[in-house]
Amino acid sequence: MKILVLNCGSSSLKYQLFDMPKEMVTAKGLVERIGIEGSRIKHTKVGSNAVVKDVDIANHKVALKYVVDLLLDENNGVLENLSELAAAGHRVVHGGEKFASSVVIDVEVIEAIEECVPLAPLHNPANLMGIRAMKELLPDLPQIAVFDTAFHQTMPPKAYIYGLPYRYYTTYKGRRYGFHGTSHYYVAYRAAQLLEKPIEDLKIVTCHLGNGSSITAVDGGVSIGTSLGFGTVPGVIMGTRSGNVDPTLILHIMEQEGLNPAQMSHVLHKESGFWGLTGISSDLRDIEEAMEKGNERATLVVEILAYGIAKFIGAYTAAMKGLDAIVFTAGIGENSALIRNKVCDYLGFLGVHCDPGKNDEMTGGKEGDISKDDSSVKVLVVPTNEELVIAKDTYQLVSQS
Ligand code: ADP
């Protein structure tokens, strides 16, 4: 069964074609600058060279038409005809409190995703554009939505209610939702496989550290707490996002500089984090390089990040009343031996002991255990694979219907 996995942004579209249940990716690609001058498609049939097309792409429907044509293309395609395509699985960022698992998209689901637009004003409209474009292009193709927030719907109220007047929760749905759920789910379950233990018996902290980062407590296979919240700013320091900040400081800055909410939001999302502290880069590779050359702010960023991650792991160990494994994933988690080492260094008292040799070797998409043999808490690096989760959920839902 062939399944198209789609991740639609406001001006981009990433796709992978899966052959299920073999879990094999046969083609993948990226459409960039949709609706903007200079749009292009990069398409790769797995095992062949990538093809790049510079073409005008006015909207997501045009983009999807190109994708479908490339999938059917005699030289670069992987489908003989469209009837081979069984379903499309979409990454949808926000499912609010409505969706705790993936669903087949129908009119009501579209309405519910629409209702969540105020909660994810940048992402949900783009996801909806992709869903609607696909519906127009291939009206009979089943479509499935897989939500970034769904995995965290198991959090108890004590973990998601903020200490604000309760009416802000009931009126504005103001609570912690958490994000990167598909990634946390994937790496936690993969870690259980690697440890050869039932996930029900494991207390795991998963650290998704990319341009956006979140740390999650996965107790017995379910999320019981996560560091992102109502939005994607809190938790640990990120590339351009601040992480946790005292809200009264934000109000003070707004007053002092006469900033309106949109301007302050820009500061918190785009001008803070590694970039805001150093003025060098939002990319940790550049920060680590500057640190090696003795740049003090870059050194401070690395210290703030490692300290922040270690504090969350400590907090979630208390929340779960125990810890069996720590999992690192995403760009930083999969590649930065420096950050992993510094984080583990704080946690020796919990029985976390990282093997420096194994840690240094674990980069570039490798998967495995980096803890010392006598470490009572296992430390794992697991490259994330959100697309595979989307393909599997889509396959399962389509097979059932
Ligand atoms: P996104 O959240 O956009 O999916 P990624 O998961 O690709 O992002 O992570 C991007 C981050 O990973 C960047 O901060 C980048 O610097 C970092 N990163 C990638 N490779 C390395 C590396 N070798 N060493 C340190 N950081 C790395």
Side-chain angles (χ1 to χ4, degrees):
M1 188 187 280
K2 308 283 166 44
I3 284 167
L4 182 60
V5 171
L6 294 167
N7 182 353
C8 296
S10 55
S11 65
S12 70
L13 186 162
K14 286 188 211 143
Y15 62 94
Q16 290 193 9
L17 191 82
F18 277 83
D19 191 351
M20 297 298 285
K22 288 187 219 158
E23 303 185 3
M24 249 173 57
V25 178
T26 56
K28 58 185 170 182
L30 168 67
V31 189
E32 287 175 297
R33 301 180 66 83
I34 299 172
I36 307 172
E37 209 177 316
S39 27
R40 65 163 42 184
I41 305 182
K42 188 176 173 194
H43 171 89
T44 312
K45 173 181 175 176
V46 171
S48 307
N49 289 334
V51 282
V52 178
K53 281 181 180 250
D54 290 297
V55 277
D56 276 345
I57 301 175
N59 55 46
H60 284 70
K61 191 176 166 195
V62 177
L64 276 172
K65 178 84 177 76
Y66 273 112
V67 171
V68 168
D69 286 347
L70 278 163
L71 292 173
L72 290 166
D73 187 79
E74 215 174 311
N75 300 317
N76 305 301
V78 288
L79 296 176
E80 282 187 6
N81 60 63
L82 268 184
S83 62
E84 283 175 63
L85 196 58
H90 293 262
R91 174 192 181 215
V92 179
V93 166
H94 218 305
E97 290 186 323
K98 205 149 210 161
F99 300 108
S101 58
S102 305
V103 286
V104 177
I105 298 174
D106 58 18
V107 177
E108 274 131 53
V109 170
I110 290 182
E111 273 170 18
I113 298 173
E114 191 95 60
E115 271 170 34
C116 293
V117 165
L119 304 175
L122 295 179
H123 292 99
N124 271 30
N127 303 151
L128 279 168
M129 271 197 278
I131 293 168
R132 289 193 171 119
M134 200 71 206
K135 186 91 198 138
E136 280 179 43
L137 197 65
L138 301 172
D140 296 327
L141 189 74
Q143 299 199 70
I144 271 75
V146 180
F147 300 92
D148 261 25
T149 48
F151 182 56
H152 301 300
Q153 279 298 303
T154 44
M155 283 190 292
K158 66 184 174 190
Y160 69 73
I161 295 287
Y162 292 117
L164 290 166
Y166 197 72
R167 66 176 185 280
Y168 295 141
Y169 169 55
T170 49
T171 313
Y172 304 116
K173 301 177 180 165
R175 52 160 283 180
R176 181 186 306 279
Y177 291 97
F179 299 88
H180 304 131
T182 314
S183 175
H184 289 292
Y185 164 83
Y186 173 79
V187 300
Y189 277 74
R190 182 74 192 128
Q193 281 178 343
L194 294 172
L195 296 170
E196 298 180 352
K197 294 216 169 116
I199 188 124
E200 293 75 21
D201 295 346
L202 290 171
K203 296 176 188 297
I204 305 175
V205 175
T206 50
C207 306
H208 176 108
L209 310 170
N211 283 315
S213 298
S214 62
I215 321 269
T216 296
V218 183
D219 194 353
V222 298
S223 167
I224 62 131
T226 191
S227 64
L228 287 177
F230 176 73
T232 55
V233 165
V236 295
I237 186 171
M238 299 168 233
T240 61
R241 297 177 231 163
S242 62
N244 281 347
V245 179
D246 178 347
T248 62
L249 173 58
I250 295 166
L251 298 174
H252 181 70
I253 293 167
M254 289 174 81
E255 268 174 18
Q256 293 300 310
E257 303 217 331
L259 300 182
N260 64 32
Q263 290 167 324
M264 192 67 224
S265 171
H266 195 265
V267 172
L268 291 169
H269 286 89
K270 302 279 182 200
E271 297 172 31
S272 299
F274 309 166
W275 164 249
L277 277 179
T278 62
I280 296 171
S281 170
S282 63
D283 190 310
L284 188 72
R285 280 168 290 203
D286 301 331
I287 302 295
E288 288 188 8
E289 202 182 302
M291 174 181 150
E292 275 158 30
K293 291 183 185 147
N295 184 296
E296 283 180 18
R297 296 275 188 83
T299 306
L300 180 61
V301 161
V302 167
E303 294 303 333
I304 292 173
L305 177 61
Y307 175 69
I309 299 166
K311 277 207 303 182
F312 268 104
I313 296 173
Y316 288 150
T317 301
M320 294 191 288
K321 300 180 181 168
L323 180 66
D324 297 303
I326 299 168
V327 186
F328 289 101
T329 192
I332 295 171
E334 290 167 29
N335 292 294
S336 178
L338 176 74
I339 294 296
R340 292 188 306 240
N341 187 47
K342 281 184 176 289
V343 169
C344 291
D345 199 46
Y346 281 101
L347 303 169
F349 76 100
L350 286 175
V352 177
H353 300 292
C354 173
D355 182 303
K358 289 186 197 164
N359 184 34
D360 283 348
E361 272 173 33
M362 203 64 78
T363 56
K366 286 190 207 148
E367 179 183 76
D369 188 339
I370 56 167
S371 35
K372 283 188 177 158
D373 293 342
D374 66 349
S375 183
S376 51
V377 174
K378 293 293 164 200
V379 186
L380 304 171
V381 176
V382 177
T384 193
N385 196 344
E386 289 152 288
E387 293 78 12
L388 177 60
V389 177
I390 298 174
K392 280 169 107 168
D393 279 12
T394 304
Y395 173 72
Q396 219 172 18
L397 284 166
V398 171
S399 306
Q400 278 167 9
S401 60

Short mmCIF file of all heavy atoms in Angstrom, two decimals, residues 14 180 208-213 239 241 274 282-286 288 329-337 363 384 386, ligand 1:
data_model
loop_
_atom_site.label_atom_id
_atom_site.label_comp_id
_atom_site.label_asym_id
_atom_site.label_seq_id
_atom_site.Cartn_x
_atom_site.Cartn_y
_atom_site.Cartn_z
N LYS A 14 6.68 19.44 2.36
CA LYS A 14 7.62 18.31 2.37
C LYS A 14 6.82 17.04 2.17
O LYS A 14 5.71 16.92 2.72
CB LYS A 14 8.34 18.22 3.71
CG LYS A 14 9.38 19.29 3.92
CD LYS A 14 10.18 18.99 5.18
CE LYS A 14 10.63 20.29 5.82
NZ LYS A 14 10.64 20.33 7.25
N HIS A 180 5.69 18.60 19.27
CA HIS A 180 6.65 17.53 18.90
C HIS A 180 6.17 16.16 19.39
O HIS A 180 6.97 15.25 19.59
CB HIS A 180 8.06 17.77 19.51
CG HIS A 180 8.69 19.07 19.18
ND1 HIS A 180 9.26 19.88 20.14
CD2 HIS A 180 8.86 19.70 18.01
CE1 HIS A 180 9.75 20.96 19.57
NE2 HIS A 180 9.53 20.89 18.26
N HIS A 208 13.78 16.25 22.71
CA HIS A 208 13.76 16.61 21.29
C HIS A 208 14.41 17.99 21.19
O HIS A 208 13.84 19.00 21.59
CB HIS A 208 12.31 16.65 20.78
CG HIS A 208 12.18 17.10 19.35
ND1 HIS A 208 11.85 16.25 18.32
CD2 HIS A 208 12.37 18.31 18.78
CE1 HIS A 208 11.84 16.92 17.18
NE2 HIS A 208 12.14 18.18 17.43
N LEU A 209 15.64 18.02 20.67
CA LEU A 209 16.42 19.26 20.66
C LEU A 209 16.76 19.62 19.22
O LEU A 209 17.71 19.08 18.64
CB LEU A 209 17.70 19.09 21.48
CG LEU A 209 17.53 18.51 22.90
CD1 LEU A 209 18.88 18.16 23.51
CD2 LEU A 209 16.78 19.50 23.78
N GLY A 210 15.96 20.50 18.63
CA GLY A 210 16.20 20.93 17.25
C GLY A 210 16.22 22.44 17.21
O GLY A 210 16.70 23.08 18.14
N ASN A 211 15.71 23.03 16.12
CA ASN A 211 15.54 24.48 16.14
C ASN A 211 14.53 24.87 17.20
O ASN A 211 14.66 25.87 17.88
CB ASN A 211 15.10 24.98 14.76
CG ASN A 211 16.27 25.00 13.79
OD1 ASN A 211 17.37 25.46 14.13
ND2 ASN A 211 16.06 24.48 12.60
N GLY A 212 13.49 24.05 17.29
CA GLY A 212 12.57 24.13 18.42
C GLY A 212 12.86 22.92 19.30
O GLY A 212 13.20 21.86 18.79
N SER A 213 12.75 23.08 20.62
CA SER A 213 13.10 21.97 21.51
C SER A 213 12.01 21.73 22.54
O SER A 213 11.36 22.68 22.99
CB SER A 213 14.40 22.28 22.26
OG SER A 213 15.46 22.42 21.34
N GLY A 239 16.96 27.99 19.23
CA GLY A 239 17.70 28.77 18.23
C GLY A 239 17.38 30.25 18.27
O GLY A 239 18.26 31.09 18.40
N ARG A 241 14.20 31.19 19.96
CA ARG A 241 13.15 31.36 20.97
C ARG A 241 13.78 31.33 22.36
O ARG A 241 14.75 30.62 22.60
CB ARG A 241 12.11 30.24 20.86
CG ARG A 241 11.37 30.25 19.55
CD ARG A 241 10.41 29.09 19.45
NE ARG A 241 10.59 28.36 18.22
CZ ARG A 241 10.14 27.12 18.00
NH1 ARG A 241 9.47 26.49 18.94
NH2 ARG A 241 10.35 26.53 16.86
N PHE A 274 19.63 31.36 21.07
CA PHE A 274 21.07 31.38 20.74
C PHE A 274 21.40 32.66 19.98
O PHE A 274 22.42 33.31 20.21
CB PHE A 274 21.48 30.22 19.82
CG PHE A 274 21.06 28.84 20.24
CD1 PHE A 274 21.13 27.78 19.33
CD2 PHE A 274 20.62 28.56 21.53
CE1 PHE A 274 20.75 26.50 19.68
CE2 PHE A 274 20.23 27.28 21.89
CZ PHE A 274 20.29 26.25 20.97
N SER A 282 21.67 31.18 14.96
CA SER A 282 20.69 30.37 15.68
C SER A 282 21.05 28.89 15.59
O SER A 282 20.32 28.04 16.07
CB SER A 282 19.30 30.59 15.08
OG SER A 282 19.30 30.16 13.74
N ASP A 283 22.16 28.61 14.92
CA ASP A 283 22.57 27.23 14.66
C ASP A 283 23.61 26.81 15.70
O ASP A 283 24.66 27.46 15.82
CB ASP A 283 23.14 27.15 13.24
CG ASP A 283 23.38 25.72 12.79
OD1 ASP A 283 24.01 24.95 13.54
OD2 ASP A 283 22.95 25.39 11.68
N LEU A 284 23.35 25.74 16.41
CA LEU A 284 24.25 25.35 17.50
C LEU A 284 25.67 25.03 17.00
O LEU A 284 26.64 25.21 17.72
CB LEU A 284 23.68 24.17 18.30
CG LEU A 284 24.50 23.85 19.55
CD1 LEU A 284 24.31 24.91 20.62
CD2 LEU A 284 24.16 22.48 20.12
N ARG A 285 25.76 24.57 15.74
CA ARG A 285 27.11 24.29 15.20
C ARG A 285 27.98 25.55 15.22
O ARG A 285 29.15 25.51 15.61
CB ARG A 285 27.02 23.75 13.77
CG ARG A 285 26.67 22.30 13.72
CD ARG A 285 26.30 21.88 12.35
NE ARG A 285 25.00 22.48 11.98
CZ ARG A 285 24.20 21.99 11.05
NH1 ARG A 285 24.56 20.93 10.36
NH2 ARG A 285 23.05 22.56 10.79
N ASP A 286 27.37 26.68 14.82
CA ASP A 286 28.12 27.95 14.82
C ASP A 286 28.44 28.39 16.24
O ASP A 286 29.50 28.96 16.51
CB ASP A 286 27.30 29.05 14.12
CG ASP A 286 26.97 28.68 12.69
OD1 ASP A 286 27.75 27.93 12.08
OD2 ASP A 286 25.91 29.12 12.20
N GLU A 288 28.87 26.39 18.84
CA GLU A 288 29.95 25.54 19.38
C GLU A 288 31.31 25.97 18.80
O GLU A 288 32.32 25.97 19.51
CB GLU A 288 29.68 24.06 19.05
CG GLU A 288 28.54 23.48 19.88
CD GLU A 288 28.36 21.96 19.73
OE1 GLU A 288 29.22 21.31 19.09
OE2 GLU A 288 27.37 21.43 20.25
N THR A 329 17.15 13.30 20.82
CA THR A 329 16.80 13.24 19.40
C THR A 329 16.76 14.64 18.79
O THR A 329 16.94 15.63 19.48
CB THR A 329 15.44 12.52 19.21
OG1 THR A 329 15.28 12.23 17.82
CG2 THR A 329 14.26 13.37 19.68
N ALA A 330 16.53 14.68 17.46
CA ALA A 330 16.50 15.89 16.61
C ALA A 330 17.92 16.45 16.44
O ALA A 330 18.86 15.94 17.07
CB ALA A 330 15.53 16.93 17.15
N GLY A 331 18.05 17.47 15.61
CA GLY A 331 19.36 17.97 15.16
C GLY A 331 20.42 18.05 16.25
O GLY A 331 21.52 17.50 16.10
N ILE A 332 20.10 18.70 17.36
CA ILE A 332 21.08 18.85 18.44
C ILE A 332 21.22 17.54 19.21
O ILE A 332 22.34 17.07 19.46
CB ILE A 332 20.66 20.00 19.38
CG1 ILE A 332 20.70 21.34 18.64
CG2 ILE A 332 21.54 20.03 20.63
CD1 ILE A 332 20.11 22.52 19.41
N GLY A 333 20.11 16.94 19.56
CA GLY A 333 20.13 15.70 20.34
C GLY A 333 20.85 14.57 19.63
O GLY A 333 21.54 13.76 20.25
N GLU A 334 20.70 14.53 18.29
CA GLU A 334 21.32 13.44 17.53
C GLU A 334 22.80 13.69 17.23
O GLU A 334 23.53 12.76 16.90
CB GLU A 334 20.58 13.26 16.19
CG GLU A 334 19.19 12.69 16.36
CD GLU A 334 18.32 12.81 15.11
OE1 GLU A 334 18.88 12.81 13.99
OE2 GLU A 334 17.09 12.92 15.26
N ASN A 335 23.21 14.96 17.33
CA ASN A 335 24.56 15.30 16.87
C ASN A 335 25.50 15.92 17.88
O ASN A 335 26.72 15.82 17.71
CB ASN A 335 24.45 16.26 15.67
CG ASN A 335 23.86 15.58 14.47
OD1 ASN A 335 24.47 14.67 13.91
ND2 ASN A 335 22.67 16.00 14.08
N SER A 336 24.98 16.62 18.88
CA SER A 336 25.89 17.36 19.74
C SER A 336 26.36 16.53 20.95
O SER A 336 25.68 16.46 21.98
CB SER A 336 25.26 18.67 20.23
OG SER A 336 26.17 19.32 21.09
N ALA A 337 27.53 15.93 20.80
CA ALA A 337 28.12 15.16 21.91
C ALA A 337 28.40 16.10 23.07
O ALA A 337 28.32 15.70 24.24
CB ALA A 337 29.39 14.46 21.43
N THR A 363 26.88 10.36 16.12
CA THR A 363 26.44 11.55 15.37
C THR A 363 25.95 11.11 13.99
O THR A 363 26.10 9.95 13.61
CB THR A 363 27.61 12.54 15.14
OG1 THR A 363 28.65 11.85 14.48
CG2 THR A 363 28.12 13.15 16.42
N THR A 384 14.96 10.81 15.17
CA THR A 384 13.50 10.83 15.14
C THR A 384 12.99 10.49 13.74
O THR A 384 13.74 10.59 12.76
CB THR A 384 12.95 12.20 15.61
OG1 THR A 384 11.56 12.07 15.85
CG2 THR A 384 13.22 13.32 14.62
N GLU A 386 9.29 11.24 12.39
CA GLU A 386 7.88 11.60 12.49
C GLU A 386 7.10 11.10 11.27
O GLU A 386 5.94 10.71 11.38
CB GLU A 386 7.74 13.12 12.63
CG GLU A 386 8.20 13.60 13.99
CD GLU A 386 8.73 15.03 13.99
OE1 GLU A 386 9.84 15.24 13.46
OE2 GLU A 386 8.05 15.92 14.50
P1 ADP B 1 14.03 21.45 13.17
O1 ADP B 1 13.56 21.70 14.56
O2 ADP B 1 13.92 22.64 12.27
O3 ADP B 1 13.53 20.15 12.54
P2 ADP B 1 16.58 20.05 13.42
O4 ADP B 1 16.01 18.93 14.19
O5 ADP B 1 17.12 19.77 12.06
O6 ADP B 1 15.60 21.28 13.33
O7 ADP B 1 17.75 20.68 14.32
C1 ADP B 1 18.44 21.82 13.96
C2 ADP B 1 19.49 22.10 15.02
O8 ADP B 1 20.39 20.99 15.09
C3 ADP B 1 20.33 23.33 14.73
O9 ADP B 1 20.48 24.11 15.90
C4 ADP B 1 21.67 22.74 14.37
O10 ADP B 1 22.71 23.55 14.73
C5 ADP B 1 21.70 21.49 15.21
N1 ADP B 1 22.73 20.57 14.71
C6 ADP B 1 22.71 19.85 13.57
N2 ADP B 1 23.90 19.17 13.43
C7 ADP B 1 24.66 19.48 14.52
C8 ADP B 1 25.97 19.13 14.97
N3 ADP B 1 26.73 18.31 14.26
N4 ADP B 1 26.41 19.67 16.13
C9 ADP B 1 25.64 20.50 16.85
N5 ADP B 1 24.41 20.87 16.49
C10 ADP B 1 23.92 20.38 15.34
#
